[in-house]
Amino acid sequence: MTPITSAGIGSGLDVEGIISKLMAAESIPLNTIKTDTQTTQTKLSIYGIIKSSFDGLQTATDALKNLSNIYPLTATSSNSSVVTGSATSANAKGSYSLTVQQLAQKQSVAASSVATTDTAIGTGTLTITLGSYDATGNTFTANSSATPVSITIDSSNQTLSGVKDAINNANAGVTASIINDGTGNRLVLTSNTTGAVNGFKVDVADSDGNNTDTSGLSMLSYDPTAAAGSGKNQTSLASAQDAQFTLNNIAITKPTNNVTDAVSGLTLNLLSTTTTPVTLNVGLDSTALQGTLNKFIAAYNQIQGNLTDQQQKGATLVNDTTPSQLELTLRNTLRNSGSTYGLTLADIGINFDKTGVMSLDSAKLNSAIATDPKIVEKIFADTGTTSDSRVSYNGGTSLTQTGTYAVNVSTAYNGTNTVAGTINGASANAIGNVLTGATGDASEGLSLTIASGASGSLGTVTYNKGLASTLSDWITSLNAPGGSLVSRTDGLNAKIKSLNDDASKLSDRLTTIEANYRQQFTALDTLMASMQATSTYLTQQLSALAANTK
């Protein structure tokens, strides 16, 4: 009998259809696992979005830790072609009147021209000394903070170009360049830094034996106290000089036009001279502050919206308690901001509508700042207030808790030893004259500077962890091992792995089940084909027998 090569051929049964329906029933658990896996992956993606939104909120929050962002200052000049300014400290706030008599400048000299940059100048040694020249006394005083630099010029570098490179490679405080003036090429030397003390002279030890004439290497000699052509062989293009200006009628001299130390926290950029006073007003940049707060508000609304959406009917995370717990903690953190000072966000114009969306009332913010210039700092920034002027607050860490702590010094700082004492009754860590709260204590990380000679009970320090640090620390904890977001995403990843493992095992099992079904139906098909062949044979034999008996 011809063997069966395709299920159903021999018997006429729809074996493939039967197996397909049987396998569809067998695959229901696998399809359930696939659906569960897809749902879990969607949850994981949503938590990724939530984490990203929290990261955005943390970035916006961290900006409010910085006092320069809480007190953004603007410096407005009545004549920006003469002077501009920038401020980094509230100490600089005020109005300033300036006149600029002289700008600081670099010294510059030029040597006589030569035919080409490859023209040999001569050999010997150049010694460049930084210092200041006094024309009245015709004296040059070396800059004590700069060491003279000697530069060897030999056959390998005696061309004009070679001398230029040798000077620039020597880091002597001047920069050499070559300028073609139309008649030839001239070596130009310029101080690297402005200021009278950063002028220079060039002494030459010429291999031809004459160190001051205008031939050979000595053509580069420049001693401002010497006679022209006899050691003063380069032409002066600009003299080294200091900036001279008056600030609120106080005469000031500085070696630079970028003045950072005339007023604490204020940088002055002197641009030109004037005899007419220029007014520079330094004040709070309310627009910049509002911009920083609005970034915080936008970031908050983003995460608040994400968490709220996932608590609505039909949301992917509607049966997950994590979004509601995160939203509750977030709201409570904001509600407790500024509590040490009896303040809330509403006091600076930050409000919530009935849906929880945050907004800023700029008019109320400006009014609050006008009443209390430090109100934003009190809410957002970490602050420390000491009751004894001999104790200065330096800062705290993420481990420092809000509270009031007693300070006691048992060993006074004398300028050479290390101070000893307690903060909150716990022995503090000490380096020099700085005490730091002990590990494990509520004051841990609280840093205080103790004045020289101060000892005994030095009052208290009241530390308040501002909203910015509190909120940022909480967000950090969410992403730390054991944190809410990490635990939830770890759990989802573990579930996905388990589901994938189950799916793989079930797929293997279904392959075996299908193979068994095919084996069984093939055997059935073969049996039925055999029986049909036998039935046909018997029918033929019986028909033949009946025909023979007629």
Side-chain angles (χ1 to χ4, degrees):
M1 184 175 64
T2 302
I4 303 299
T5 58
S6 180
I9 296 286
S11 63
L13 289 173
D14 182 10
V15 173
E16 288 298 329
I18 294 172
I19 291 176
S20 177
K21 290 179 181 179
L22 287 171
M23 290 309 299
E26 294 282 359
S27 297
I28 290 175
L30 179 60
N31 293 333
T32 300
I33 290 175
K34 289 180 178 179
T35 299
D36 198 5
T37 300
Q38 185 175 12
T39 299
T40 306
Q41 288 174 332
T42 301
K43 289 182 178 181
L44 191 60
S45 296
I46 291 173
Y47 273 110
I49 294 172
I50 290 174
K51 180 185 181 302
S52 178
S53 295
F54 267 120
D55 289 344
L57 178 59
Q58 186 170 40
T59 297
T61 299
D62 285 345
L64 288 163
K65 290 181 181 179
N66 192 333
L67 291 181
S68 66
N69 290 328
I70 291 178
Y71 298 117
L73 299 174
T74 181
T76 305
S77 173
S78 63
N79 190 340
S80 58
S81 65
V82 174
V83 62
T84 61
S86 60
T88 58
S89 169
N91 295 329
K93 290 172 67 175
S95 181
Y96 305 91
S97 176
L98 296 94
T99 56
V100 181
Q101 293 80 41
Q102 176 178 288
L103 291 178
Q105 68 181 22
K106 302 175 181 179
Q107 179 181 334
S108 184
V109 298
S112 299
S113 65
V114 296
T116 71
T117 59
D118 292 329
T119 298
I121 306 301
T123 60
T125 302
L126 301 174
T127 299
I128 298 175
T129 304
L130 299 185
S132 57
Y133 172 66
D134 179 11
T136 302
N138 193 33
T139 58
F140 182 88
T141 304
N143 185 336
S144 61
S145 63
T147 302
V149 175
S150 294
I151 304 165
T152 299
I153 305 298
D154 55 28
S155 59
S156 68
N157 60 358
Q158 65 173 324
T159 64
L160 186 66
S161 179
V163 171
K164 178 198 70 139
D165 292 340
I167 292 173
N168 289 336
N169 291 333
N171 296 318
V174 301
T175 297
S177 58
I178 296 175
I179 295 179
N180 187 307
D181 64 2
T183 64
N185 295 277
R186 305 179 70 180
L187 184 72
V188 176
L189 302 181
T190 304
S191 301
N192 289 344
T193 310
T194 60
V197 297
N198 294 310
F200 60 87
K201 69 172 183 173
V202 181
D203 294 314
V204 178
D206 197 332
S207 296
D208 67 9
N210 191 328
N211 300 329
T212 60
D213 67 357
T214 58
S215 65
L217 191 63
S218 57
M219 69 174 286
L220 301 181
S221 174
Y222 184 80
D223 181 351
T225 67
S230 299
K232 187 180 180 180
N233 299 337
Q234 300 195 58
T235 301
S236 175
L237 303 178
S239 300
Q241 64 185 34
D242 293 328
Q244 296 177 356
F245 61 100
T246 61
L247 181 66
N248 289 354
N249 295 319
I250 298 175
I252 298 174
T253 299
K254 296 291 181 181
T256 176
N257 296 316
N258 184 249
V259 181
T260 60
D261 56 356
V263 178
S264 177
L266 176 64
T267 296
L268 300 173
N269 301 305
L270 308 179
L271 303 173
S272 63
T273 60
T274 180
T275 57
T276 302
V278 175
T279 300
L280 189 69
N281 289 316
V282 179
L284 182 67
D285 187 345
S286 59
T287 300
L289 173 58
Q290 289 175 29
T292 301
L293 290 174
N294 279 325
K295 287 180 181 178
F296 168 75
I297 290 169
Y300 168 80
N301 286 336
Q302 178 68 48
I303 184 59
Q304 191 270 343
N306 290 339
L307 296 175
T308 300
D309 289 346
Q310 290 305 315
Q311 297 174 62
Q312 306 304 310
K313 184 177 180 179
T316 302
L317 302 182
V318 67
N319 295 320
D320 194 327
T321 61
T322 300
S324 61
Q325 291 172 347
L326 291 174
E327 184 181 22
L328 178 61
T329 304
L330 179 58
R331 284 179 175 272
N332 287 338
T333 300
L334 296 179
R335 186 179 296 115
N336 293 329
S337 61
S339 58
T340 299
Y341 299 97
L343 298 170
T344 67
L345 288 173
D347 291 317
I348 57 172
I350 296 179
N351 303 303
F352 300 88
D353 67 15
K354 62 182 180 181
T355 65
V357 175
M358 184 187 288
S359 62
L360 176 65
D361 182 338
S362 299
K364 188 169 183 178
L365 171 65
N366 291 335
S367 176
I369 292 173
T371 302
D372 180 0
K374 291 194 173 184
I375 189 170
V376 179
E377 176 185 352
K378 290 176 180 177
I379 290 176
F380 282 100
D382 296 349
T383 59
T385 305
T386 62
S387 63
D388 192 309
S389 61
R390 294 171 294 175
V391 180
S392 300
Y393 164 74
N394 298 324
T397 69
S398 61
L399 299 174
T400 312
Q401 299 178 27
T402 295
T404 298
Y405 307 110
V407 180
N408 192 288
V409 173
S410 55
T411 301
Y413 179 68
N414 62 15
T416 60
N417 66 338
T418 296
V419 68
T422 62
I423 300 176
N424 197 35
S427 181
N429 299 315
I431 297 178
N433 63 336
V434 177
L435 290 178
T436 304
T439 301
D441 188 69
S443 66
E444 180 175 355
L446 180 61
S447 175
L448 306 173
T449 296
I450 309 300
S452 180
S455 64
S457 176
L458 300 184
T460 61
V461 56
T462 298
Y463 175 79
N464 176 61
K465 186 180 289 293
L467 173 60
S469 288
T470 301
L471 187 55
S472 183
D473 290 347
W474 174 63
I475 294 173
T476 297
S477 73
L478 298 180
N479 296 306
S484 297
L485 289 179
V486 171
S487 296
R488 194 69 189 97
T489 54
D490 284 352
L492 291 173
N493 279 318
K495 183 176 181 180
I496 290 172
K497 182 179 183 305
S498 177
L499 288 170
N500 287 336
D501 290 343
D502 291 345
S504 178
K505 293 176 183 177
L506 188 51
S507 292
D508 292 342
R509 180 171 173 271
L510 289 175
T511 299
T512 302
I513 290 174
E514 183 175 0
N516 289 337
Y517 277 145
R518 290 190 177 280
Q519 182 180 13
Q520 292 169 6
F521 277 98
T522 297
L524 174 62
D525 192 32
T526 301
L527 176 61
M528 291 184 69
S530 176
M531 293 176 67
Q532 286 178 349
T534 300
S535 174
T536 299
Y537 172 76
L538 290 175
T539 297
Q540 291 173 345
Q541 293 300 313
L542 289 173
S543 295
L545 180 61
N548 292 332
T549 57
K550 288 182 179 180

